[in-house]
Every structure is written in C-alpha cells, then in structure tokens.
Amino acid sequence: MPQTLSSTSMFTPCGFSPHNLHPSKEDDEGGLIFQDGNLTSASLDALIQHLIPTAEYYPEKAYIFTFLLSSRLFIEPHELLSRVCHKCIEQQQLDDPVLDKARIRKFGPKILQLLTEWTETFPYDFQEERMIGCLKDIIHRIAPCDEAYWKKMNQLLQTLNQKLAALNHGQEGIVKINAAVSDKVVAFKSKPPSIQREILSVCSDPYTLAQQLTHVELERLSHIGPEEFVQAFVHKDPLESTKPCFSEQKKTSNLEAYVKWFNRLCYLVATEICMPAKKKQRAQVIEFFIDVARECFNIGNFNSLMAIISGMNMSPVSRLKKTWSKVKTAKFFILEHQMDPTGNFYNYRTALRGAAHRSLTAHSNREKKFLELAKQVGEFITWKQVECPFEQDDNIIHYLHTAPIFTEDGLYLASYESESPENQTEKERWKTLRSTILGKT
C-alpha cells in the first residue's frame, strides 16, 4: 500500500518463543533464557515480569508487541492485565497508606506508556469491562502522586472509546455490505441483456479504479486486529500443549471478511470478462483489467493486483482462447511473473520491499513459528496504519461492493455460451449447466 509509515522497527519482534512457556521455574537468569543475545524461552511468570516497567526499567517496544500478541494463546488478556497490575501494586507498594511519591512519579509515566501501547495496538482486548476495570484501578492508585495522571487516563480512555467506536462502526458497515451482496451472487442470466451495468460504464480509467480498490483494501485492513492472525494461526496449526484460552474472545471475523473481499474481487473480474456477448468487448475488458492491475502494482496495492490476476486466471476466463487472441498480453505476463508463487513468492516479496522503500523515501520450526508470526503481523500493523491518499468515489465503491457476480457454474456457462466447448468433457458440462441453470436441453 502507498505511504508506508516509518515505524516498522517498532514492531520487529525480539527472539522468544511462547511455545517454550512452562510453569514457574526460575533459572539463573531470573527465569529468562537467552541465546546469542536473544530471549528464547522463559517461564510465564518471568515473561510477565519482563513486561512490567519499574522506576528504572521499561521493556523494549518489540518485546511488548511480541508478548502481547503471542501470550493470549496461554493466558487471556484480562488475566494477563490483572497479573500485571497486581505485580505493579506489590512492587511499587501501592497499597501502603503513605506512598513513595518520588518513586511513583518515575514509575507512573512508564506504566501509563505500557497501557497506552496496549490499548493502541490491541484495542479489541478492552471491549471487556474487566479490562477497563484493571486499567482504571492501577491509574487511580498512582493518580494521587501527580494530578497529570488523571488527565492522562481520561485521554487514554477517550482515545480508546473513539477507536472502538470507529472499529465497531466499520464492522457494522461490512455486515451491511455483505448482506447487500449475499443476494446478488447469480448463477447465470441469458445474454443479452447483461446482468448489470458493466464496469467500463462506471469507471473507464484504470488508474481511478486502482485508487478506489486501494480505498477498499485499506478500509478492510483497518478493522483487522493483530490478534486475529494468532487465532487463525492456531486454528490452522494447533500446538499439542496449547489449550484454546481465547474461546470467549473476538474471533477472526474481520480477517474472514477481508478474505471474502479478495474472493469477491476475483469473481467480479471473471464475471466482467465472461459477461459481454461479443469477443471484442471481452478482450477490451481483459485489457482494461490488465491496466488496472498494472496501476495497482505501481501504487503498491498488491492484494488487489493478485485478486485481479487470479480472476483472469480462473478456468472459465483462461479457456477463452479466441478472446485472448485479441488481447495484447505482454503486460499481463509481466504481472504474472511478479506474482509467480515459485520460491515462496520471491518476485512478489521483492516488489513489496521495493514499494515499502519507495514510500519511505517519498521457515522456521515449531518453536520459532511465533517469532515469525510476530514479525509478519508487525509488518501488517505498519501497513494498516496507512491513510489512503486518494479521493474516494462513492459510486465506484458502491459498484465494487454490490455488483452481481456469477457463481462458478455461472461463469463456466457464460464462458461456454461465449466460446463453444472444445472437447467432450466441456460439452457434457455445458449440457448439464444449461439444463440445471437455464432449464434448457
């Protein structure tokens, strides 16, 4: 995406593996085990202690992010915050009738900073009242030492409430969009007339469409909490010793919505190509989307780029040989090369790094998986903070979200209706689809 923030280093994880968490068992290093200067494993108690600031100590930002991201697999956020606050109360003697104001004035800004980082990076954690309760309790205990702490708490809570309200509003918008789209997935409708306005009648400029796609991408990204990646990761590859401790927490709905948007864009591209009755029109749409994909690449919108290429590579589209013969495909092959999955998408990852560099200037084993995950999620956090620099066109955005799309069977039927089947297998499928979808024999 364009205009990457320069805070990537803030989220670069330090080397530790939550998989190595074990019951409290203090080692020579205070429960922390280091290798080559990196924290590799520790007891849960030791890791929590390492998170807690003191008058003289504040944890590295990288450690804060990595631990808050991964620890939720072993301890729920509300329990973690409760233990952090309890340890702070003990260490700073916040239950004493007479507080050491000089020491607490050194400690206060640091605990406030930790809470601020937590609320900013993982706001969904604070949808629970008990999280807010712990946060208020610790601040109330230090506030008598400095009136500025009251103001800081009010600012923190106000910012958190605004962020949660914006996230919830965005989620409601996505739900409405998904509801509007759900009844617009169509099997097939004989041509002509077409099932909808064509994309070229809504937006004929590839650069403008690429900009609007970037708006959609960034809007969807902004609602995804980093913790969703951890939950999706564990559901996909659960650890033997990991008990799901986030069953009551927010699930991966925003991440799933983002995947649904990618799939919708794939099918929208394929529908727009297969829909026109004439070969010349289909070729024109293909060339238009090639240009859109190229503009997405130039902008740095690689998700839309990949969705467009995936849509053009769907079998109902790729089989349209007569149509493709009318297309200038050189630019398409260059884009395909960039998205080549060979070497773990080496070309794509190289291009992504290049895009990040331009914007700044204008596999591990099981024990290391969480380190890799924190690194990748940290990079995602940087991207999702980008503000879209392009003016939004509501008409185009509405079309992208609500235009009817063909089902897979509908795409195949449209493709066969456009260019006749070439072999017996295709002929049999065409016959079946005409019977089941159109009711024709």
Side-chain angles (χ1 to χ4, degrees), residues 348-380:
Y348 166 69
R349 290 185 291 110
T350 300
L352 185 61
R353 285 195 297 270
H357 177 71
R358 289 195 301 271
S359 60
L360 282 171
T361 58
H363 272 311
S364 50
N365 58 29
R366 184 177 292 277
E367 273 116 20
K368 298 296 180 182
K369 280 187 177 180
F370 286 96
L371 176 61
E372 265 316 298
L373 181 64
K375 180 180 178 181
Q376 299 301 324
V377 174
E379 292 175 355
F380 159 77

Side-chain angles (χ1 to χ4, degrees), residues 91-104:
Q91 293 168 15
Q92 302 302 322
Q93 300 173 3
L94 298 179
D95 274 339
D96 287 3
V98 180
L99 300 175
D100 185 342
K101 292 186 177 182
R103 184 181 70 243
I104 292 175

Side-chain angles (χ1 to χ4, degrees), residues 137-157:
D137 178 64
I138 191 67
I139 297 177
H140 279 145
R141 290 175 183 272
I142 64 173
C145 297
D146 193 326
E147 291 186 1
Y149 296 158
W150 293 108
K151 182 178 180 181
K152 181 66 176 178
M153 180 183 74
N154 290 331
Q155 290 176 339
L156 188 155
L157 291 174

Side-chain angles (χ1 to χ4, degrees), residues 16 26 28 30 32 39 44 56 63 66 70 176-177 206 229 246 272 275 298 312 332 337 347 350 405-406 412 435 437:
F16 90 97
E26 299 302 317
D28 294 337
L32 305 176
L39 177 59
L44 180 56
E56 295 79 24
Y63 176 78
T66 307
S70 305
K176 289 180 181 179
I177 289 170
F229 290 95
F246 45 79
E272 294 285 348
M275 191 170 54
N298 292 336
M312 289 193 286
F332 180 66
H337 176 69
N347 295 327
T350 300
I405 56 176
F406 287 140
Y412 271 107
S435 174
I437 296 176

Side-chain angles (χ1 to χ4, degrees), residues 119-333:
T119 57
E120 287 179 348
T121 310
F122 300 95
Y124 285 117
D125 288 351
F126 292 84
Q127 288 181 314
E128 292 193 60
E129 281 298 323
R130 46 191 169 179
M131 290 288 287
I132 298 295
C134 285
L135 185 152
K136 288 182 176 180
D137 178 64
I138 191 67
I139 297 177
H140 279 145
R141 290 175 183 272
I142 64 173
C145 297
D146 193 326
E147 291 186 1
Y149 296 158
W150 293 108
K151 182 178 180 181
K152 181 66 176 178
M153 180 183 74
N154 290 331
Q155 290 176 339
L156 188 155
L157 291 174
Q158 184 178 5
T159 301
L160 176 62
N161 288 333
Q162 289 174 347
K163 179 168 286 191
L164 287 173
L167 291 170
N168 290 332
H169 178 73
Q171 285 181 311
E172 291 171 0
I174 289 175
V175 169
K176 289 180 181 179
I177 289 170
N178 290 340
V181 170
S182 63
D183 62 351
K184 293 190 176 182
V185 178
V186 294
F188 181 77
K189 189 172 182 179
S190 298
K191 303 177 294 184
S194 63
I195 62 170
Q196 62 191 62
R197 291 184 298 165
E198 296 178 352
I199 185 66
L200 290 175
S201 69
V202 178
C203 178
S204 60
D205 178 31
Y207 185 54
T208 300
L209 184 57
Q211 291 179 336
Q212 300 312 304
L213 288 170
T214 303
H215 264 290
V216 176
E217 296 288 344
L218 291 175
E219 171 68 15
R220 297 274 174 146
L221 277 176
S222 68
H223 303 304
I224 301 175
E227 68 277 4
E228 294 190 49
F229 290 95
V230 173
Q231 295 169 4
F233 172 77
V234 172
H235 283 306
K236 182 179 179 181
D237 187 14
L239 303 176
E240 307 91 353
S241 60
T242 302
K243 294 180 180 179
C245 64
F246 45 79
S247 57
E248 297 180 358
Q249 295 181 28
K250 176 178 168 293
K251 298 182 180 179
T252 56
S253 56
N254 293 309
L255 189 57
E256 292 168 3
Y258 191 64
V259 173
K260 287 180 180 178
W261 157 249
F262 179 92
N263 292 333
R264 171 173 172 76
L265 183 54
C266 292
Y267 274 80
L268 179 62
V269 169
T271 297
E272 294 285 348
I273 294 172
C274 291
M275 191 170 54
K278 296 182 179 180
K279 177 172 54 179
K280 182 179 179 180
Q281 293 174 324
R282 294 193 298 273
Q284 183 182 10
V285 175
I286 290 176
E287 290 191 340
F288 173 72
F289 275 117
I290 291 174
D291 289 337
V292 173
R294 183 182 61 181
E295 295 300 341
C296 286
F297 179 85
N298 292 336
I299 289 173
N301 181 355
F302 295 108
N303 198 66
S304 292
L305 165 62
M306 191 172 288
I308 292 169
I309 291 177
S310 297
M312 289 193 286
N313 277 327
M314 291 181 72
S315 295
V317 177
S318 62
R319 68 167 297 277
L320 298 173
K321 296 179 181 179
K322 295 178 181 178
T323 301
W324 280 97
S325 68
K326 300 295 183 182
V327 175
K328 299 175 182 177
T329 55
K331 291 182 290 187
F332 180 66
F333 293 146

